[in-house]
Amino acid sequence: MISISLLLYPFTNYGNLFPPSSSILAGRKPNFPIISSSMTVREKGASARSSEENRDGGLKSAPSTPTPTTFPPIRVTKRVVLVRHGQSTWNADGRIQGSSDFSVLTPKGEAQALTSRQMLIHDSFDVCFASPLSRARRTAEIIWGSRGKAIIMERDLREIDLYSFQGLLKHEGREKFGDAYRLWQVDAPNFQIDNHYPVRELWDRARACWNKILAHESKSVLVVAHNAVNQALIATSIGLGTEYYRILMQSNCGVSVLDFIPRAGGGSPCVCLNRLNQTPDSPIAAGSSGSSKTSQQIILVCRGSLRNDAEEQPMNMLGVIQSQKTAELLLDLKVNTIVTSIKKASMETAAIISKVQEAADCLGADCVPRYVDIRHMEELDVENIFKQFKRVITEPL
């Protein structure tokens, strides 16, 4: 059985009939429960990296706390749209790609990229950064289309370096590397191969990549890369450490959006995660990424449109329609819990979704009423959500 929770907060709403932030966050059997990244503006301060303690002949333990990223100051709000490449031949084969460059897009991958192009066709991008690996470069070319400016190939956007794992089928990795492969599956931040820690290196590379992206004179940026590196870009932007690897899974051609907002007094900008892994397919499809499956889902939902566009106002008629359409979109799922902002429109949207969910189970004469638990939280904080859902999600269903 899948445990499903909704996180309902006043994210950016473009006035579409379906709010754009209705996206799934799903991961595969991590050491701790599935958890949402923060969708509120997270202020970042400078912080020294946690010291690492040597043990067992040089093996380093993972930092116990995430390292906040300090970004260069920006003058205007900057939007960054992250897209993962379409399905590749090695995705289809179940082969470990890493940063190798032997796979290309499958026909399905090309079709996914074309769909993403249509999803983003009205976005006025100033620049496109892309991984130089063939599968990402081709995806970028399809999405970028006839836009005049050249795509900037950025080597730091390549996929995670997996060294001797690269090119192996997954069962070959288990057979050849045994305990190391198991560590890669259950404790990726501490996984070591060929004297490297791939996930830690990836997080460092993502921080460096942000400096290049944010330094570019542009307001709207398209970035086309890979699952792991896009996870690292999202995590480092909102202050999450390597323990969130595989929690922010990015589907083939999944779209995530980050807004960087300048601070009045200068310094590192505030960051808002606007969309997470919005896919060309149904946003409520069973949680997966390639062969990765999940038994829990957290779905991020945007509240409906407001009267007078003021956060304290209730929803207008369009907002009510949006909420009803979102509730219909979620009918095939059994939502267990809704966590909502205390803002009026968010609570109204939560109530509409809850009523539809409860009514859907009571259409027969012998039905047993099902109640959706609604919880109010002033700010959607990653660590608090983690602590509160740890008990709920790990309990037997």
Side-chain angles (χ1 to χ4, degrees):
M1 184 180 295
I2 296 177
S3 173
I4 300 174
S5 302
L6 298 188
L7 303 180
L8 209 155
Y9 279 73
F11 317 138
T12 300
N13 189 317
Y14 295 116
N16 297 324
L17 197 58
F18 292 94
S21 296
S22 300
S23 309
I24 281 184
L25 171 60
R28 177 179 57 177
K29 298 179 181 177
N31 290 335
F32 44 89
I34 297 301
I35 186 68
S36 164
S37 64
S38 173
M39 295 292 290
T40 59
V41 172
R42 298 288 303 272
E43 295 192 355
K44 308 292 186 251
S47 173
R49 177 183 296 275
S50 300
S51 59
E52 297 181 338
E53 185 176 320
N54 289 336
R55 59 177 173 85
D56 298 333
L59 183 63
K60 298 178 181 179
S61 60
S64 58
T65 56
T67 304
T69 304
T70 301
F71 297 114
I74 57 176
R75 291 177 294 186
V76 296
T77 297
K78 187 185 294 280
R79 168 159 290 188
V80 180
V81 177
L82 304 176
V83 183
R84 184 191 175 188
H85 63 78
Q87 185 194 61
S88 71
T89 48
W90 281 18
N91 286 152
D93 293 342
R95 196 174 292 277
I96 301 171
Q97 296 184 111
S99 58
S100 64
D101 196 16
F102 298 105
S103 65
V104 296
L105 293 186
T106 62
K108 178 179 178 179
E110 296 259 351
Q112 289 170 329
L114 285 168
T115 303
S116 292
R117 176 181 177 177
Q118 291 304 117
M119 286 173 58
L120 300 170
I121 199 161
H122 297 300
D123 287 65
S124 300
F125 294 113
D126 300 315
V127 65
C128 176
F129 288 86
S131 161
L133 303 184
S134 299
R135 55 195 186 272
R137 185 178 68 245
R138 177 58 183 152
T139 302
E141 290 169 350
I142 292 172
I143 296 174
W144 196 241
S146 59
R147 292 178 173 92
K149 297 181 181 178
I151 298 172
I152 298 174
M153 297 299 165
E154 174 52 61
R155 187 172 181 274
D156 279 346
L157 287 173
R158 70 188 184 279
E159 183 58 303
I160 185 171
D161 297 315
L162 290 177
Y163 306 100
S164 294
F165 270 15
Q166 294 180 175
L168 298 176
L169 292 169
K170 292 174 183 178
H171 73 85
E172 293 173 340
R174 284 192 295 270
E175 294 166 1
K176 185 174 182 179
F177 289 94
D179 290 343
Y181 186 86
R182 184 178 184 280
L183 187 63
W184 164 240
Q185 294 299 306
V186 302
D187 188 13
N190 284 321
F191 163 69
Q192 184 188 34
I193 188 168
D194 299 336
N195 296 317
H196 291 273
Y197 291 87
V199 176
R200 300 187 209 175
E201 291 177 352
L202 180 65
W203 251 242
D204 289 339
R205 175 150 53 90
R207 292 188 185 99
C209 208
W210 274 126
N211 290 331
K212 300 174 186 178
I213 293 170
L214 294 176
H216 193 276
E217 291 294 329
S218 55
K219 294 181 181 179
S220 182
V221 181
L222 174 64
V223 175
V224 183
H226 307 266
N227 178 20
V229 71
N230 282 6
Q231 288 186 61
L233 287 168
I234 294 166
T236 53
S237 72
I238 58 177
L240 301 181
T242 53
E243 68 272 21
Y244 284 86
Y245 181 71
R246 292 200 183 100
I247 301 302
L248 305 170
M249 298 290 281
Q250 301 293 290
S251 305
N252 287 123
C253 280
V255 175
S256 297
V257 180
L258 290 148
D259 291 323
F260 293 80
I261 304 163
R263 197 183 297 270
S268 185
C270 300
V271 184
C272 178
L273 179 56
N274 178 279
R275 265 175 281 175
L276 181 63
N277 197 29
Q278 186 179 34
T279 67
D281 302 315
S282 168
I284 58 168
S288 67
S289 179
S291 60
S292 303
K293 302 293 181 183
T294 183
S295 59
Q296 300 98 23
Q297 292 179 2
I298 292 180
I299 301 176
L300 313 178
V301 178
C302 180
R303 52 98 178 111
S305 295
L306 304 173
R307 296 180 191 171
N308 304 323
D309 204 28
E311 282 298 339
E312 301 300 330
Q313 295 293 313
M315 290 189 294
N316 57 24
M317 184 54 66
L318 175 59
V320 173
I321 294 172
Q322 289 173 330
S323 299
Q324 291 170 342
K325 289 294 184 181
T326 298
E328 292 172 13
L329 187 68
L330 297 168
L331 265 177
D332 290 337
L333 302 179
K334 288 190 176 182
V335 175
N336 307 105
T337 306
I338 299 177
V339 180
T340 177
S341 163
I342 61 173
K343 302 294 186 183
K344 189 172 182 62
S346 294
M347 291 192 292
E348 289 175 339
T349 303
I352 290 172
I353 294 172
S354 174
K355 288 177 181 178
V356 171
Q357 282 282 317
E358 292 172 353
D361 273 4
C362 286
L363 298 179
D366 300 324
C367 74
V368 177
R370 182 175 68 87
Y371 299 99
V372 177
D373 181 23
I374 297 182
R375 306 182 188 186
H376 300 93
M377 188 177 295
E378 186 171 356
E379 291 187 1
L380 183 58
D381 181 82
V382 172
E383 301 308 324
N384 285 337
I385 289 285
F386 175 83
K387 292 173 184 175
Q388 291 187 29
F389 275 90
K390 186 171 184 178
R391 297 190 307 276
V392 176
I393 294 179
T394 54
E395 289 176 354
L397 298 173

